[in-house]
Structures are given as structure tokens and as C-alpha cells.
Amino acid sequence: MGCFFSRRNNEEDVVYDMSPIRHLPVIFVNGVPGAGNQTVAQTISNITGYTMIRPGELVRAEAEKDTPRGRLIADKLRAQEDIPEQLTVDMVKEAMLQQEDAKGFILVSFPKNHRMSNMFNRQVKWPEKIVALEVDNEVAATRLQNKLSELGRPESEINAAREIVREAAHKVKNVHKRFGGHVITLDSSGNPKALASTLREILSDTIERSRRPDRDMRAPNSASAPEVNLNVTNQAEEPAPDAEVPRSELEGQS
């Protein structure tokens, strides 16, 4: 396993050596809470064999640690404040470096905003594909409310579901615009599990390229691949939203 960092400038600035995993393909699965992010990510993992990384879970696990970073994150969560983007990106980098033998990586509900996107692009690499999940905000909010209710979350969180989805939708769209032709847009209004065959087809080129030793590592641009907009609607049983997350992290999850 490669070193986590190459040098330390100061107590808050760690420079990670990402060269051991930079050749591995990366796929973002990104949509509003309730869009089925984790379900779709798991489907992609089953197809590709890539390793799933859930930044939201990394954040929550770190908050349990009695370390300066853990205490900072715990304080932010208690105050319902956003976690600094660089902290999230650093934890993702650490998780990737711990799995150098992976075939590739799927980052779930990532990135939350354009700043986080820019950090990852500069410090790690550009993703090969961004699977953008589109769903009506009302459908997403209902799914989120149902899940929060099942988890016994406070009424205030359940009632805030529509606001959370509405705010997240704006951020997610801004992120997707930055990647041009590498965005695959999927309609997840139905059951995201029903998208397996479509995902297998549209990811075939990424899987094939990942098998080549001379794959191109340059940053993509809008001319490097045509934009794919697939509106796949399936009226199968509506899935439950994804795992529990603190209110301040809901925008980047499910």
C-alpha cells in the first residue's frame, strides 16, 4: 500500500500521494436525497466489481473518533453545519488508498457541490463517468420522509425533507454541468433496481477502457464524449430511500 501522504506542511495540511490508485477508474453516482443513489451505486458495483465508497458514512465514522478531525466533524454535525469540503475529500482519498487492489471506485452521493468537485478533480483525478439521477423533487421528498419516519427521526427533520431536496437539487445540477459529455442522466423515478440492464450498456466503454494498460488519464472535456440522456422510467415498486444521515449531511446522501 502506498503512503497516505508525501509531506506535511503544517498540522492542517496533508499532501496525499495518490499515484498508487490514480490509474483506477472512478464513477460518481450523484442525485438528490431520495433519488436512489445507493441502490444505483450497488447495482453498478455488481456490474463492474468496483468498490463503493460512501463519503457520508466516512464522515459519520470519523465523528466517533477522539481525534482533532473527529471532534471537529462531531461539533459540525451537532451544530447542523456543513462539513468542510476538504475534510470530506481527504477522507475519500484515504479510503481509496486503503484499497489499492480495487478494480475501480464508485463514489456515492459525491460530490456535494462544485467546490468539492474541483478539489477531487485537482487532487485525485477526473471521474470517467458521472451517473446523474433525475427524479421529481416531490417523489424524492416523499421517499426521504418515509425513510426518516421509519428510522424514528424527529418530526422537524421529516418536515424539512422538501426543503433539503430542493436545496440539494440546485447544487447537484451545478455539479453535473461541469462535466459535460461524461454525464449519464438517468430517470430514477421508478425503481432504481430496474436500471441494471441500462447501466450495463452505458458503462461498457468505461469497463473496457479500464482493462487497457495504456488508458488515457487526461481530464475530460465536453467534446471528448457525447452527452447521454436516458430517461428510463419503470413503474415498479418504489424503493425506500437510503441510509440514515444527520440533517447537515442529508444533501449529499441517499
Side-chain angles (χ1 to χ4, degrees), residues 28 30 40 129-135 172-173 176-177 180-188 195 198-199 202 226-233:
F28 293 167
N30 197 265
V40 170
K129 283 284 190 297
I130 299 86
V131 178
L133 303 182
E134 289 194 344
V135 62
V172 165
K173 287 181 179 178
H176 296 166
K177 288 178 182 178
H182 282 235
V183 175
I184 300 168
T185 302
L186 294 180
D187 183 346
S188 62
L195 298 174
T198 300
L199 287 165
I202 61 184
E227 183 171 0
V228 180
N229 288 287
L230 297 176
N231 292 318
V232 181
T233 303

Side-chain angles (χ1 to χ4, degrees), residues 9-164:
N9 294 333
N10 55 58
E11 288 301 316
E12 301 299 329
D13 185 8
V14 179
V15 180
Y16 294 77
D17 176 12
M18 302 305 296
S19 58
I21 56 85
R22 189 165 281 129
H23 65 287
L24 297 174
V26 172
I27 297 173
F28 293 167
V29 176
N30 197 265
V32 299
N37 293 289
Q38 295 202 46
T39 301
V40 170
Q42 183 62 64
T43 300
I44 294 174
S45 180
N46 294 342
I47 294 170
T48 62
Y50 295 175
T51 298
M52 290 175 58
I53 293 179
R54 301 175 177 87
E57 290 186 2
L58 299 179
V59 167
R60 294 191 293 279
E62 191 70 20
E64 298 296 322
K65 299 178 181 179
D66 187 19
T67 62
R69 186 170 71 178
R71 291 190 293 272
L72 172 62
I73 291 174
D75 290 343
K76 292 287 186 180
L77 294 179
R78 281 192 293 269
Q80 299 291 294
E81 297 176 357
D82 290 336
I83 307 301
E85 287 88 352
Q86 188 62 63
L87 287 185
T88 300
V89 172
D90 284 350
M91 285 184 282
V92 169
K93 290 189 290 188
E94 291 168 9
M96 295 174 74
L97 287 169
Q98 288 175 341
Q99 303 180 74
E100 291 179 24
D101 294 333
K103 294 181 179 179
F105 298 101
I106 304 164
L107 303 189
V108 186
S109 300
F110 182 91
K112 287 181 63 176
N113 54 48
H114 72 277
R115 293 184 300 278
M116 192 177 290
S117 171
N118 289 341
M119 290 174 183
F120 186 89
N121 295 348
R122 290 196 310 269
Q123 299 169 21
V124 184
K125 62 175 293 181
W126 282 64
E128 274 66 23
K129 283 284 190 297
I130 299 86
V131 178
L133 303 182
E134 289 194 344
V135 62
D136 180 80
N137 283 1
E138 189 63 27
V139 172
T142 298
R143 291 177 180 175
L144 185 58
Q145 286 179 323
N146 291 340
K147 185 60 177 181
L148 293 174
S149 179
E150 291 173 6
L151 294 170
R153 303 299 293 172
E155 193 69 22
S156 58
E157 287 189 19
I158 297 174
N159 293 336
R162 284 179 173 81
E163 179 185 352
I164 291 170

